[in-house]
Amino acid sequence: MPPFTPPTFQERTQMAAKAKQAALKKLKEKPPLSDEVIAERKAAQLAREEKQAAASEAKRAAFEQAKAERKAVKEKAKPKLALGLTEAEKKAARDERYAKRKKRRK
């Protein structure tokens, strides 16, 4: 079996030129797209973009709603001033803080 000899520079350039010609020939053989196909593809692309925009807007709205809910919970959880609270309200606030602490530990 003859030993492997790497191709020379001239052989590599000839192979590259042949490959380029084959690719150009293959490209030229493709028929041009008709107006109907182009219009159909544009319509499909518009539909995809609209669907993506709607999904993005829904995701953004869900994020904003979750953000508002977290803010409301945080506002509700703020400790109230003890000046105007009755004993029962103070006890309820104390029990709520205790329950939150217990929940965090688990």
Side-chain angles (χ1 to χ4, degrees):
M1 204 163 119
F4 174 75
T5 56
T8 63
F9 178 74
Q10 288 83 12
E11 291 172 339
R12 289 194 314 261
T13 56
Q14 287 174 356
M15 287 189 293
K18 286 181 184 177
K20 184 176 180 181
Q21 288 300 322
L24 287 173
K25 183 180 175 187
K26 186 177 180 182
L27 184 65
K28 287 180 183 178
E29 289 175 357
K30 286 187 177 179
L33 296 176
S34 66
D35 293 336
E36 297 167 355
V37 172
I38 293 173
E40 184 179 313
R41 287 183 181 178
K42 283 185 181 182
Q45 182 179 2
L46 286 175
R48 276 194 311 273
E49 289 174 355
E50 289 174 1
K51 185 178 177 182
Q52 288 174 347
S56 175
E57 187 62 33
K59 187 176 180 181
R60 185 178 295 116
F63 176 76
E64 292 296 329
Q65 182 181 3
K67 186 176 176 182
E69 289 173 0
R70 285 193 307 268
K71 187 175 181 181
V73 167
K74 192 179 273 189
E75 289 293 324
K76 185 180 176 186
K78 279 187 178 179
K80 298 176 183 167
L81 294 176
L83 298 175
L85 299 178
T86 64
E87 290 299 319
E89 290 172 335
K90 288 180 186 178
K91 183 181 182 320
R94 196 168 49 244
D95 291 344
E96 185 179 348
R97 287 193 308 269
Y98 176 74
K100 285 182 183 178
R101 241 187 348 261
K102 290 284 272 188
K103 187 176 182 181
R104 278 194 308 249
R105 288 182 185 167
K106 290 184 180 181

